[in-house]
Amino acid sequence: MSVVSSAAKPESSGCDAPFDGDPAWRVTRILRDGTKVTLRPVTPDDREELRRGILGLSPQSRYLRFMHVATMPTDELLSYLTSVDQKDHVAIGATIESPDLKTERGIGIARFVRLEGSPDTAEAAITVVDDMQRKGVGTILLVELLRAAKARKIRTIRAEVLADNDTMRGILERAGA
């Protein structure tokens, strides 16, 4: 399940443990264009940033991720997406610092949900905001999601991807799907 990515590299060679549920876990990756990305657990505090992110997705991106265009971030959906146990439902967010360095902006999320009755299998999904697509964000999120799954003894990751979602299909194929 280990994936080596040429899209990004660790900022330093220090301790870089996979996400095991620790709310303080953070890793930094540098994208091909030099953008510094922080990966960290998604929390309920991310609710409004996630709402902005979903509303900011183009109709095409919403369609490719949610498999229909009209997805609106209801309170129920936002609760489901941000109130995760980080064991059976794991969500890792990718952020970049704002230009004024005072806040962070969410640019992507990777998640998996362990399947009931099949503890070594999980369903996964990745979403990246439009202006950060095709820069390697999806790849670094997938790498960390796979590392987190392995730490939880998940051996099989499933993902439903539309046939015309060439970008995600390419990421998954490079990861060995």
Side-chain angles (χ1 to χ4, degrees), residues 42 72 74 81 87 110 128-130 147 159:
V42 171
M72 287 288 123
T74 64
L81 295 175
K87 179 182 175 236
V128 176
V129 298
D130 289 80
R147 293 177 70 213

Side-chain angles (χ1 to χ4, degrees), residues 52-115:
R52 281 189 292 278
I54 292 172
L55 290 172
L57 290 173
S58 68
Q60 177 69 7
S61 290
R62 278 193 214 177
Y63 170 70
L64 291 174
R65 168 55 183 93
F66 296 105
M67 300 185 188
H68 53 86
V69 177
T71 299
M72 287 288 123
T74 64
D75 287 339
E76 182 180 17
L77 176 63
L78 292 170
S79 291
Y80 173 75
L81 295 175
T82 60
S83 297
V84 298
D85 65 13
Q86 301 296 14
K87 179 182 175 236
D88 295 321
H89 183 175
V90 172
I92 299 171
T95 66
I96 57 175
E97 289 183 335
S98 64
D100 64 4
L101 305 178
K102 293 182 179 179
T103 60
E104 61 182 7
R105 174 182 163 231
I107 60 168
I109 292 181
R111 73 179 60 249
F112 67 73
V113 178
R114 193 184 309 255
L115 299 182

Side-chain angles (χ1 to χ4, degrees), residues 1-2 4 17 19 21 32 38 50 57 76 78 85-86 92-93 100 103-104 114 127 138 141 147 154 166 169:
M1 184 181 287
S2 179
V4 178
F19 176 51
R32 292 183 292 258
T38 299
L50 185 59
L57 290 173
E76 182 180 17
L78 292 170
D85 65 13
Q86 301 296 14
I92 299 171
D100 64 4
T103 60
E104 61 182 7
R114 193 184 309 255
T127 306
L141 282 166
R147 293 177 70 213
I154 292 173
D166 295 330
R169 289 181 59 216

